[in-house]
Amino acid sequence: MDKRAAHIARRMADIEPFHVMDLLARARRLEAAGRSIVHLEIGEPDFPTPEPIMEAGRKALADGHTHYTPAVGLPALRETIAGFYRDRHGVDVSPERIIITPGASGALLLVMAVLLDPGDQVLMADPGYPCNRHFVRTFEGEAVSVPVGPESAYQLTAEHLESHWGERSVAAMVASPANPTGTLVSADTMKRMLAFTAGRGGRLIVDEIYHGLVYDEEAITALAHSPDVFVINSFSKYFGMTGWRLGWIVAPEDYVRSIDKLAQNLFLAAPTPAQHAALAAFQPETLQILDARREAFRERRDFLLPALRDLGFGIPVTPEGAFYIYADSTAFDSDSQRLAERLLEEVGVAITPGLDFGHHRPQAHVRFAYTREIAELEEGVARLRRSLG
Amino acid sequence: MDKRAAHIARRMADIEPFHVMDLLARARRLEAAGRSIVHLEIGEPDFPTPEPIMEAGRKALADGHTHYTPAVGLPALRETIAGFYRDRHGVDVSPERIIITPGASGALLLVMAVLLDPGDQVLMADPGYPCNRHFVRTFEGEAVSVPVGPESAYQLTAEHLESHWGERSVAAMVASPANPTGTLVSADTMKRMLAFTAGRGGRLIVDEIYHGLVYDEEAITALAHSPDVFVINSFSKYFGMTGWRLGWIVAPEDYVRSIDKLAQNLFLAAPTPAQHAALAAFQPETLQILDARREAFRERRDFLLPALRDLGFGIPVTPEGAFYIYADSTAFDSDSQRLAERLLEEVGVAITPGLDFGHHRPQAHVRFAYTREIAELEEGVARLRRSLG
C-alpha cells in the first residue's frame, strides 16, 4: 500500500465535530455513576411531538404511507406550508417554491450545493451555528466568518456585508433568531441586506428555524420583504419534531428546478411518515399547543436571564427568541472550556463552551440552553451560585 | 442586478434529473384520463413494509421516540446489523464501523464527501445507477464511466480497473446486484478488484442495497473478503422500507471518525422512528416474510425474462438479482426513448429508456422493473406483444 491508503478528503481537516459531545459523554458517565446532572447544554426542546402530529403520524402508518414521495415533497404538505405563510404571515408564497427536505440540514445542504462553486464565498456571523461554515466547506466554498458582537446584537448588518463582500462572494447567511445568541435581525436591517445582496447579484439565505419561538414581538419572515431570498425552516424546534427529520426551503423561482433535480439525486425524498405527520402541524389545535409551549419557553428565559446576569455573566443583548442565552463568562474564567469542565465536575451543571460556535472570542463565552423545566433551571442556578457566587 | 443574479453552481449543468419522470408524469395524466397503464418502470417494491417492522414503528411512536439519536445511529440498531452480518454472512463486523444514514442516498453522500478532493476520480460502470456519478460531481470529483457490456455481465472487472485507473483515481464503485442490469459481481472478481484498489492505495465502494434480492445463489458480502471496503446498504428495497429513508455504511475503521463528524454536521441524524422500526427488520418473523417476497420476485423474473426474450428483446446475461431486466431494444427501434413513448401511448405500458443509466448506448436499451404482480406483468407482456409482436 502506498501513502494514499488512508486517503481522506482535505475538507475533513476543516470540518469540526460538535465539541460539546465530549462534555456530554462525560456528563453521561457521571450520571451512570449516580451523579445528578443539570442539562443546560442541549439544543433540543424537552417537549414531545404535539399529540395531533403524533396522531397524524400513527394514521400515516395505519394507512400504509411508507413509500417514496416526490423528491420535493408531498403536494399537500407544500400547499399547507404555503397556507401557513398566507394565514400567519400574510405573505403569498407559491407551493411550487416550497421544497420539503430531510430536516433543515437537508435544506442547507441543497442550498449550498446549488449555489456554490469552488472558492465562492458565503458571509456569516461568528458566533453562529457551526454547521453553516461546514456546509460551505463541504461544497468547496469559503465561509467568510464576520466577527460580531453586542453592538449589532451578534447579527450581520448591511455595513458588515459592504465591508466584507468580495469578488467571490455569492451569498450571505443570517439566522433570526440565531443560535447561540437568540437574537433577531430587525426588519430594517433585513431589508437593507436584501437590497445589498440583490445589488451585487448575490443571495441572502435566512435561517428561520427558530421563527416560531420569538417572545417579545411577532417575527416577520424575510419573505415579507422579497421573493428572491432563500428561507430555511424546519419542523424540529417550534413544531417539536426533531427526530422526524423534516424541514423546508422557500427558494427563489429561478432555483426551484435545480433544487428539485439535486434533491432527486442526493436524497430521493424526505421521510414519508414524517411528511404525513407534519400535515397536522398547522392545525389550530396544534398551534394552540405550540403557543402554550412558546409561553413556557418565555417563562424559562424570563427566569434564567436575570438569574445569570445576577450571577455575573455578561449578557449585554436580551435574547428575543430560540432557547439560548449566550453569555460572557470572563468574570469567572478566561477559558470557557475550562469553566464548563469545572462546572460539570464540581456542581454537575452541563453547559456549552463557545468553541462550538466559531473563532471569535469563543473562550470568553458559554451558551446556556433553556430546554428544561423551570425547576431544573432553578436547581442549575443554585448550583452555579454555589460554585461561582 | 448584474449577471450573477441567477448564479447557479456549475455542477448543476452536469447533474441530470431522472428523465423517466417526464414519462411517469405522462403516464399519470393518461391514467387520470381513464387509461389503464401497466407500470414496468417503477424502482420501488409494491409490497408494504412488513408487519413486524410496522408494529415496531407504531411502538416507537407510542413510546415517544421522536427525539434525535446519535449522528451515527441508535447503538442497538448498529449492534443488530452487526449481528445480521455474523448470523447471515458469517462475517465479524464491529458495530463501531456501522453508520446509520438517511437512506443509501445519505450513505453515498457521506462516503463521497469523505473521500473526494476536487478532481479525484471514481471509476464506475456505465450503465449504472445515475445518482452515483452525480454524487461524485457534487463533491467536485470526476466520475470515470467505464462502458460495460454483456461480456462482463455489465460489471466492472479488475481488468477495467487496470486500464482506467489513473493518477487521480481514488476509488472504484460497483453494485451487486446492479441497477439497471440485475447482475452480480462474482466473488473472484470482487477479490481481484479489492486487491487491485488496495495495491493502488484506493478504495472499493460496494453497493449492496439489492443484496437480499438474489435468486439463484446466496449473495456474498464484500466484507467477507476484506475489512477495508466501503459497503453501502439500505432498508429500502429488501426490507421494504423505502419511504422511511434508512440505510447504512460499513466503513473501514480509519474512516469512522471522519464519517461521524460529517454526519453530525450534514444530517444531525437519521430519522428516529425509522431507526426504531428497523430494529424489527432482522427478527426471524420478518426475515420469513422477506424470504417469501424474494420468492415472489424470483417468480416474476422467471416469468418476465423468457417472455421478453421471446418477444425479441436482447437479454444476453441473465439478471440474478434486484428487480430489473436491462434489455437491448434495437430489434424494435434504434431510439429507446421513442420506443418507450410509443409503448406508453399505443398500449399503455410504461418502461424506462436507457437514458437514465448513462452514456454507453442508452438509446439501444430499456429497463423493465418487475415490481408488480404476475397478473400485471402478464397483461404488460400481452400488450407488448400487441404492439411489437
Side-chain angles (χ1 to χ4, degrees):
Chain A
M1 296 226 191
D2 69 20
K3 284 194 308 189
R4 302 189 74 178
H7 179 84
I8 290 184
R10 282 188 295 272
R11 66 174 64 84
M12 295 311 302
D14 303 322
I15 292 176
E16 295 170 61
F18 293 168
H19 299 290
V20 74
M21 288 296 174
D22 292 337
L23 201 113
L24 190 59
R26 175 70 184 147
R28 295 241 160 94
R29 280 196 300 275
L30 291 172
E31 280 177 321
R35 278 282 295 278
S36 139
I37 304 294
V38 174
H39 289 281
L40 302 179
E41 85 285 28
I42 293 180
E44 182 173 21
D46 53 340
F47 295 108
T49 303
E51 179 51 28
I53 299 176
M54 293 298 291
E55 173 58 28
R58 287 192 294 266
K59 185 165 182 313
L61 295 191
D63 293 348
H65 290 309
T66 61
H67 288 270
Y68 294 127
T69 71
V72 291
L74 278 181
L77 184 57
R78 300 166 75 196
E79 274 160 33
T80 301
I81 294 172
F84 179 72
Y85 281 110
R86 193 175 51 241
D87 300 344
R88 183 104 161 200
H89 294 284
V91 178
D92 193 36
V93 177
S94 159
E96 298 295 315
R97 288 171 54 205
I98 297 169
I99 295 118
I100 309 299
T101 57
S105 301
L108 286 163
L109 194 153
L110 289 176
V111 169
M112 294 308 176
V114 90
L115 276 179
L116 299 183
D117 279 316
D120 281 355
Q121 293 175 336
V122 181
L123 278 53
M124 56 185 69
D126 180 348
Y129 179 60
C131 303
N132 291 341
R133 66 177 193 275
H134 296 147
F135 276 110
V136 173
R137 179 65 185 91
T138 293
F139 297 106
E140 300 296 328
E142 185 193 331
V144 177
S145 293
V146 180
V148 293
E151 60 287 351
S152 68
Y154 303 100
Q155 291 282 5
L156 290 185
T157 64
E159 288 69 31
H160 286 127
L161 301 193
E162 266 168 46
S163 57
H164 288 83
W165 195 268
E167 274 295 306
R168 295 304 310 260
S169 303
V170 300
M173 174 155 198
V174 296
S176 180
N179 177 5
T181 61
T183 61
L184 301 178
V185 175
S186 73
D188 180 58
T189 299
M190 192 71 84
K191 281 190 252 186
R192 291 180 60 216
M193 287 196 285
L194 283 162
F196 177 88
T197 49
R200 299 296 179 101
R203 295 286 169 177
L204 198 64
I205 303 164
V206 183
D207 171 348
E208 298 186 349
I209 72 167
Y210 294 103
H211 214 228
L213 297 171
V214 173
Y215 307 119
D216 303 316
E217 53 185 290
E218 194 66 30
I220 299 170
T221 172
L223 294 161
H225 309 306
S226 168
D228 287 325
V229 61
F230 285 93
V231 164
I232 285 164
N233 211 322
S234 166
F235 288 97
S236 292
K237 310 293 185 173
Y238 172 58
F239 295 98
M241 293 183 70
T242 46
W244 297 81
R245 311 308 301 121
L246 203 66
W248 73 86
I249 303 168
V250 184
E253 212 167 313
D254 292 353
Y255 290 87
V256 169
R257 208 183 124 68
S258 290
I259 293 175
D260 183 356
K261 72 177 179 176
L262 204 56
Q264 287 175 28
N265 278 282
L266 302 190
F267 299 139
L268 295 184
T272 302
Q275 293 190 62
H276 284 273
L279 285 169
F282 304 97
Q283 288 172 3
E285 191 192 356
T286 311
L287 295 175
Q288 207 174 347
I289 294 169
L290 298 177
D291 284 346
R293 291 182 181 184
R294 173 162 59 178
E295 270 314 297
F297 279 120
R298 183 212 307 271
E299 281 167 29
R300 295 173 182 185
R301 181 201 61 170
D302 290 349
F303 163 75
L304 189 60
L305 179 64
L308 293 175
R309 282 175 169 157
D310 192 50
L311 277 170
F313 286 98
I315 309 165
V317 183
T318 294
E320 296 179 81
F323 32 64
Y324 304 117
I325 296 174
Y326 189 67
D328 186 311
S329 51
T330 50
F332 310 109
D333 196 322
S334 59
D335 179 347
S336 60
Q337 177 77 30
R338 188 170 54 200
L339 177 67
E341 286 166 11
R342 173 187 138 199
L343 290 173
L344 180 61
E345 302 294 336
E346 266 189 25
V347 291
V349 174
I351 59 177
T352 307
L355 186 61
D356 267 328
F357 307 107
H359 304 296
H360 177 53
R361 306 190 65 224
Q363 70 290 347
H365 294 88
V366 295
R367 186 193 75 175
F368 295 88
Y370 44 96
T371 48
R372 297 297 173 114
E373 288 180 6
I374 290 272
E376 190 166 344
L377 301 184
E378 285 171 344
E379 172 65 17
V381 168
R383 293 183 183 194
L384 290 172
R385 181 162 294 118
R386 213 147 69 223
S387 178
L388 307 171
Chain B
M1 297 229 191
D2 69 18
K3 284 194 306 187
R4 301 190 74 177
H7 179 85
I8 290 184
R10 282 188 295 272
R11 67 174 64 84
M12 295 311 302
D14 303 322
I15 292 176
E16 296 170 60
F18 293 168
H19 298 291
V20 73
M21 289 296 177
D22 293 336
L23 200 114
L24 190 59
R26 175 69 184 148
R28 296 244 160 92
R29 281 196 300 276
L30 290 172
E31 280 176 320
R35 278 283 295 279
S36 139
I37 304 294
V38 174
H39 290 282
L40 303 179
E41 85 286 29
I42 294 180
E44 183 174 21
D46 52 340
F47 296 107
T49 303
E51 179 52 27
I53 299 176
M54 293 298 292
E55 174 57 28
R58 287 191 295 267
K59 185 166 182 315
L61 295 190
D63 293 348
H65 291 308
T66 61
H67 288 270
Y68 295 127
T69 71
V72 290
L74 279 180
L77 184 56
R78 299 167 75 197
E79 275 159 34
T80 301
I81 294 172
F84 179 71
Y85 281 110
R86 193 175 51 241
D87 300 343
R88 184 105 161 199
H89 293 285
V91 178
D92 193 37
V93 177
S94 158
E96 296 296 314
R97 288 171 53 206
I98 297 169
I99 295 118
I100 309 299
T101 57
S105 301
L108 286 164
L109 194 154
L110 290 175
V111 169
M112 295 306 176
V114 90
L115 277 180
L116 301 182
D117 279 316
D120 281 356
Q121 293 175 338
V122 181
L123 278 52
M124 56 185 69
D126 180 348
Y129 179 60
C131 303
N132 291 342
R133 64 177 194 274
H134 296 145
F135 276 110
V136 173
R137 179 66 185 91
T138 293
F139 297 106
E140 300 296 328
E142 184 193 330
V144 177
S145 293
V146 180
V148 293
E151 60 287 350
S152 69
Y154 303 101
Q155 292 282 6
L156 290 185
T157 63
E159 288 69 32
H160 286 127
L161 300 193
E162 265 168 48
S163 57
H164 289 82
W165 195 269
E167 274 295 306
R168 295 305 311 261
S169 302
V170 299
M173 173 157 198
V174 296
S176 181
N179 177 4
T181 60
T183 60
L184 302 179
V185 176
S186 72
D188 180 60
T189 299
M190 192 71 84
K191 282 191 253 185
R192 291 181 59 214
M193 288 195 285
L194 283 162
F196 177 88
T197 49
R200 300 295 179 101
R203 293 287 169 178
L204 197 65
I205 303 164
V206 182
D207 171 348
E208 298 186 348
I209 73 168
Y210 293 103
H211 214 230
L213 297 171
V214 172
Y215 308 118
D216 303 316
E217 53 186 289
E218 196 64 30
I220 300 170
T221 172
L223 294 162
H225 308 307
S226 169
D228 286 324
V229 62
F230 284 94
V231 163
I232 285 166
N233 211 322
S234 165
F235 288 97
S236 291
K237 310 292 183 173
Y238 172 58
F239 296 98
M241 294 183 69
T242 48
W244 297 82
R245 311 307 304 120
L246 203 65
W248 73 86
I249 303 169
V250 184
E253 212 167 312
D254 292 353
Y255 290 88
V256 169
R257 208 183 124 68
S258 290
I259 293 176
D260 182 358
K261 72 177 180 178
L262 203 55
Q264 287 176 26
N265 277 283
L266 301 190
F267 297 139
L268 296 184
T272 302
Q275 292 190 62
H276 283 273
L279 285 170
F282 304 97
Q283 289 172 1
E285 192 193 357
T286 311
L287 294 175
Q288 207 174 348
I289 294 169
L290 297 178
D291 283 345
R293 290 181 181 184
R294 174 162 57 177
E295 270 313 297
F297 278 121
R298 181 212 307 271
E299 281 167 29
R300 294 171 183 186
R301 182 201 60 168
D302 289 349
F303 164 74
L304 189 60
L305 178 63
L308 293 175
R309 283 176 169 158
D310 192 50
L311 277 169
F313 285 98
I315 309 164
V317 183
T318 294
E320 296 179 82
F323 31 64
Y324 305 116
I325 296 173
Y326 189 66
D328 186 310
S329 51
T330 49
F332 310 109
D333 197 321
S334 60
D335 179 347
S336 60
Q337 177 77 30
R338 188 170 55 199
L339 177 67
E341 286 166 10
R342 173 186 138 200
L343 290 173
L344 180 60
E345 301 294 334
E346 267 189 24
V347 290
V349 174
I351 58 177
T352 307
L355 186 60
D356 268 328
F357 307 106
H359 303 298
H360 176 53
R361 306 192 61 224
Q363 70 288 346
H365 294 88
V366 296
R367 187 193 74 177
F368 295 87
Y370 43 97
T371 50
R372 296 297 173 113
E373 287 179 6
I374 290 270
E376 191 166 341
L377 300 184
E378 286 172 343
E379 171 66 18
V381 168
R383 292 182 184 194
L384 290 173
R385 182 162 293 120
R386 212 148 70 224
S387 179
L388 307 171

